[in-house]
Amino acid sequence: MATKLPEVDILLVGFGWTSAIMAQELAETGLSILALERSAWRDTPADMAPTFDQDELRYYWRQHLFQNVSHDTLTIRNNTSQTALPMRRLGSFLLGTGVGGAGVHWNGQIWRFLPSDFLAKSHNAQRYGPQSVTQYDMTVQDWGVTYEELEPHYDTFDKLCGTAGKAGNLRGQIQPGGNPFEGPRQNEFPAPPLPMTYAPTLFAKAASEVGYHPFPHPAGNMSQPYQNPLGAQLGQCTYCGFCEKFACGNYSKATPQTTLFPSLFTKPNFTLKTGAEVLKINLDSNGKRAVSVTYVDGEGREWEQPAGAILLGAYILHNVRLLLLSGIGKPYNPQTGEGVVGKNYAYQITSSVHVFYDDKILNPFIGAGALGMVVDDFNGDNFDHSGKGFIGGGYIALLTTNGRPVEWYAGSHIVPKDTPNWGPKWKAAVAKNYLKSATLATHGAVMSHRGNYLDLDPTYRDIYGRPMLRMTFDYTDNEHKMSDFLTDRATDIAKAMRPREFRANPRKGSWSVVPYQTTHNTGGAIMGATPQDSVVNTYMQSWDVPNLFVMGAGAFPQNPGYNPTATVAALTYRAAAAIKSQYLKAPGALVQA
Ligand SMILES: Cc1cc2nc3c(=O)[nH]c(=O)nc-3n(C[C@H](O)[C@H](O)[C@H](O)COP(=O)(O)OP(=O)(O)OC[C@H]3O[C@@H](n4cnc5c(N)ncnc54)[C@H](O)[C@@H]3O)c2cc1C
């Protein structure tokens, strides 16, 4: 029996980027705000001092910072004809856990989506015909929000993070050196681009030669000392190359800890409770109002925490599972196409081309999470898709995110074709090529499909006896055609870089949960203009339970060809503004702009 606690005004579930932003934004209202985070407290610089944060075995192979799948996992299958099995080791995506969430060990690649991405259905249907958005059983939708509406909130996140970059479109004027395809920005980036290393410079030269438009990748790694509008101070990045999957011990990567905590933890009306795993959202007898959550603490005791409003920030997979376990919204049924909770789960499709030189020393260990050059010529609808048989696209980048020898060179097999995967020949190939190789990566969109979704597993349960989340996901022809096209364009650039040899690694076959790809899971709690086709409105507010808000990339109706977090943050800022200006004055369903 759960012990009931005193009510708080605002309750945040989970404490990563989304909840930390929301807490900071709502703190000014003076309302009592409580965040429940299932895992431990951590403050990056203190807990991850540079002296021991570069331990690849501990942080990468033994997955020290990520969700412990022996405690909680999900089941996986490619399609409904298969039986889903529990994921017993993290692979394709790395679920965050602990204060700051995955924001602690992200790369800091900070992207805005294209204006046309938010109109994926109507824009593509108009340009390429209605069949372009329904072929391959696609269930593509418009977002209900536009780039223009999100632009000021993207800007707020850029300023929070000190994003380093070069604008390509300032108030409609195309700017030299930036991304000419991006939507109009009202302001230049808050910091100049990171100084470029050798390999991305070679990439940019080659990309220009073949007629593309290279620009510096937008980065949440500091190109210079930076003080954000909340007064948090970050230091210039030293290019140690331990960003992704590691915490930065140098205050040089934008994370919730470095950008928000110095301000947030001075607020007397904000409290964070760690070791508090939320099991369920409890509704009133009409099922129209969330009254509390039930959580378990580190000693296994159950508590009921009542709240005026509940905001889920537990990451998309946990948010969707909590909705399903709590009976909120109609679960999606892939047979009938009815229901919305769990619908349109999507992901990202990636591929790569390695280049190997004899005469160029590239020093791959000089890196940062978002250090590199990129072309966006083949993202979204930046090119004519007529006759290509797919919609969407992705970017092609040469990033020197890291040269970590154990993970990157051993794990990713950056060795020439026909090298064995282990043994003396492999070692000799690594030794020969380590300093003289680099990787061009493609990062592609995944459209929503009728057969890709999330639901509760009928067989497997967690330690509390609750059904696990079940993921049913595979790539379809749209993704494969698009990714092959991107890999070919990356190969064009690789050839123009004039290496000794190159090795293309296209993404073939079904999606596999084994190799790491990205932690860019999306959908399942999708946003939209009507309750018939979405779980939340454009303010992340549940259509069914108006005092419940669901933050995060679960809201994406499909996944564009960019990293998600800046858009997740922009949607969170927009929701926070609507909560302050509308919801708190008249709690209830928000009027859509
Ligand atoms: C290795 C890696 C690199 C990445 N790099 C990039 C990048 O460069 N650019 C980019 O855009 N994105 C990147 N991402 C993705 C990015 O980190 C996420 O989009 C972002 O952190 C999501 O924020 P969130 O608040 O939705 O969830 P999270 O950061 O996952 O936070 C959710 C929190 O909720 C807690 N929680 C979960 N369930 C419960 C529960 N039941 N009760 C209580 N607490 C709970 C978790 O412990 C966690 O702390 C990367 C991710 C990873 C793993």
Side-chain angles (χ1 to χ4, degrees):
M1 185 66 184
T3 308
K4 195 165 182 172
L5 295 162
E7 178 165 322
V8 296
D9 296 320
I10 307 280
L11 179 66
L12 298 158
V13 177
F15 201 60
W17 267 126
T18 52
S19 288
I21 288 172
M22 196 52 102
Q24 172 68 32
E25 290 302 294
L26 297 186
E28 70 189 48
T29 63
L31 295 169
S32 58
I33 304 171
L34 172 66
L36 297 178
E37 164 57 45
R38 65 180 175 180
S39 300
W41 166 252
R42 60 184 173 201
D43 182 27
T44 306
D47 298 354
M48 313 284 164
T51 44
F52 66 88
D53 88 326
Q54 299 180 351
D55 180 342
E56 289 195 67
L57 287 180
R58 180 179 193 199
Y59 289 108
Y60 181 65
W61 289 106
R62 295 178 188 143
Q63 309 190 327
H64 183 68
L65 293 176
F66 313 137
Q67 177 171 310
N68 177 356
V69 287
S70 68
H71 175 82
D72 189 17
T73 189
L74 60 155
T75 67
I76 308 272
R77 60 181 179 175
N78 284 127
N79 58 61
T80 53
S81 73
Q82 300 175 338
T83 302
L85 292 173
M87 178 176 70
R88 300 205 184 263
R89 184 176 164 80
L90 292 170
S92 179
F93 47 86
L94 298 169
L95 299 170
T97 198
V99 168
V104 167
H105 48 75
W106 77 325
N107 259 326
Q109 298 173 358
I110 298 185
W111 283 100
R112 299 176 174 202
F113 293 172
L114 297 166
S116 59
D117 285 333
F118 296 99
L119 303 166
K121 185 174 182 185
S122 52
H123 173 89
N124 285 302
Q126 190 187 12
R127 187 164 178 196
Y128 304 111
Q131 177 262 350
S132 69
V133 289
T134 54
Q135 61 185 346
Y136 318 123
D137 264 348
M138 284 196 284
T139 47
V140 175
Q141 291 187 192
D142 288 352
W143 293 54
V145 72
T146 62
Y147 172 83
E148 289 69 29
E149 286 168 317
L150 280 186
E151 202 283 334
H153 306 295
Y154 275 128
D155 191 56
T156 305
F157 189 62
D158 276 336
K159 291 188 170 119
L160 181 83
C161 294
T163 312
K166 174 79 196 83
N169 181 339
L170 259 186
R171 296 178 284 280
Q173 298 295 313
I174 301 303
Q175 306 292 313
N179 178 5
F181 301 101
E182 69 178 2
R185 290 171 183 266
Q186 289 310 303
N187 297 303
E188 183 48 276
F189 280 91
L194 289 162
M196 224 31 83
T197 44
Y198 190 28
T201 310
L202 294 173
F203 168 88
K205 187 167 171 291
S208 297
E209 273 169 29
V210 291
Y212 308 150
H213 301 85
F215 59 94
H217 194 295
N221 323 113
M222 297 309 108
S223 61
Q224 59 185 26
Y226 182 72
Q227 179 167 334
N228 79 11
L230 301 176
Q233 296 191 14
L234 291 96
Q236 187 168 2
C237 178
T238 55
Y239 287 7
C240 77
F242 284 74
C243 296
E244 183 185 38
K245 309 174 183 107
F246 295 79
C248 176
N250 203 42
Y251 282 93
S252 297
K253 179 168 74 172
T255 68
Q257 272 81 350
T258 54
T259 61
L260 288 157
F261 288 7
S263 163
L264 180 57
F265 281 96
T266 64
K267 311 283 182 204
N269 54 332
F270 172 70
T271 309
L272 168 68
K273 234 182 229 180
T274 55
E277 181 163 10
V278 173
L279 302 183
K280 191 172 186 276
I281 303 151
N282 304 305
L283 302 179
D284 69 3
S285 53
N286 298 324
K288 292 281 168 220
R289 190 177 157 72
V291 290
S292 63
V293 301
T294 303
Y295 74 88
V296 182
D297 70 14
E299 290 166 34
R301 290 172 301 196
E302 265 195 34
W303 302 89
E304 183 183 350
Q305 177 60 64
I310 297 175
L311 286 69
L312 300 184
Y315 195 63
I316 92 140
L317 301 173
H318 308 299
N319 289 344
V320 171
R321 183 173 178 221
L322 282 171
L323 292 176
L324 291 165
L325 288 170
S326 311
I328 298 170
K330 188 171 175 188
Y332 172 65
N333 179 337
Q335 266 77 46
T336 61
E338 287 172 8
V340 280
V341 183
K343 187 179 175 183
N344 284 15
Y345 170 73
Y347 188 51
Q348 213 93 66
I349 186 163
T350 55
S351 68
S352 62
V353 184
H354 305 315
V355 287
F356 304 92
Y357 290 94
D358 279 332
D359 59 341
K360 292 185 170 55
I361 303 288
L362 302 177
N363 289 336
F365 49 85
I366 302 173
L371 171 64
M373 295 293 286
V374 53
V375 297
D376 214 23
D377 298 60
F378 304 104
N379 215 331
D381 198 30
N382 293 344
F383 60 106
D384 186 359
H385 290 66
S386 304
K388 295 202 163 34
F390 65 85
I391 57 168
Y395 63 76
I396 304 169
L398 196 156
L399 291 156
T400 51
T401 51
N402 76 85
R404 297 188 293 271
V406 181
E407 174 202 337
W408 189 238
Y409 277 79
S412 306
H413 303 294
I414 304 181
V415 281
K417 271 190 218 91
D418 305 325
T419 307
N421 284 342
W422 57 282
K425 285 193 177 151
W426 174 80
K427 280 189 195 163
V430 172
K432 180 178 175 198
N433 292 292
Y434 175 77
L435 290 175
K436 300 174 182 172
S437 52
T439 298
L440 290 76
T442 79
H443 185 278
V446 171
M447 294 296 149
S448 45
H449 295 269
R450 185 176 179 137
N452 290 338
Y453 69 108
L454 303 169
D455 69 349
L456 293 177
D457 192 281
T459 309
Y460 291 96
R461 292 176 176 262
D462 68 7
I463 52 168
Y464 306 112
R466 304 175 306 163
M468 286 182 189
L469 188 74
R470 176 169 65 177
M471 176 185 289
T472 305
F473 176 74
D474 208 351
Y475 298 126
T476 71
D477 283 354
N478 193 75
E479 283 71 55
H480 282 303
K481 286 183 181 177
M482 190 276 295
S483 186
D484 285 349
F485 178 78
L486 280 181
T487 313
D488 289 346
R489 301 292 74 75
T491 305
D492 294 343
I493 303 173
K495 286 180 188 160
M497 289 173 74
R498 296 182 198 88
R500 176 192 80 224
E501 62 181 288
F502 67 90
R503 175 181 180 173
N505 309 289
R507 182 76 54 188
K508 294 289 179 199
S510 284
W511 170 68
S512 163
V513 74
V514 178
Y516 184 67
Q517 290 153 65
T518 66
T519 311
H520 303 164
N521 315 83
T522 64
I526 58 178
M527 61 191 284
T530 72
Q532 286 72 41
D533 62 11
S534 51
V535 175
V536 293
N537 63 26
T538 65
Y539 300 115
M540 312 288 101
Q541 183 183 36
S542 161
W543 290 108
D544 299 276
V545 178
N547 70 332
L548 178 72
F549 292 77
V550 187
M551 301 176 286
F556 296 6
Q558 53 278 325
N559 199 8
Y562 299 100
N563 311 54
T565 308
T567 303
V568 165
L571 290 168
T572 307
Y573 278 116
R574 185 168 180 272
I579 290 171
K580 283 187 284 189
S581 66
Q582 291 186 51
Y583 180 83
L584 294 177
K585 290 179 188 148
L590 290 169
V591 180
Q592 301 303 291

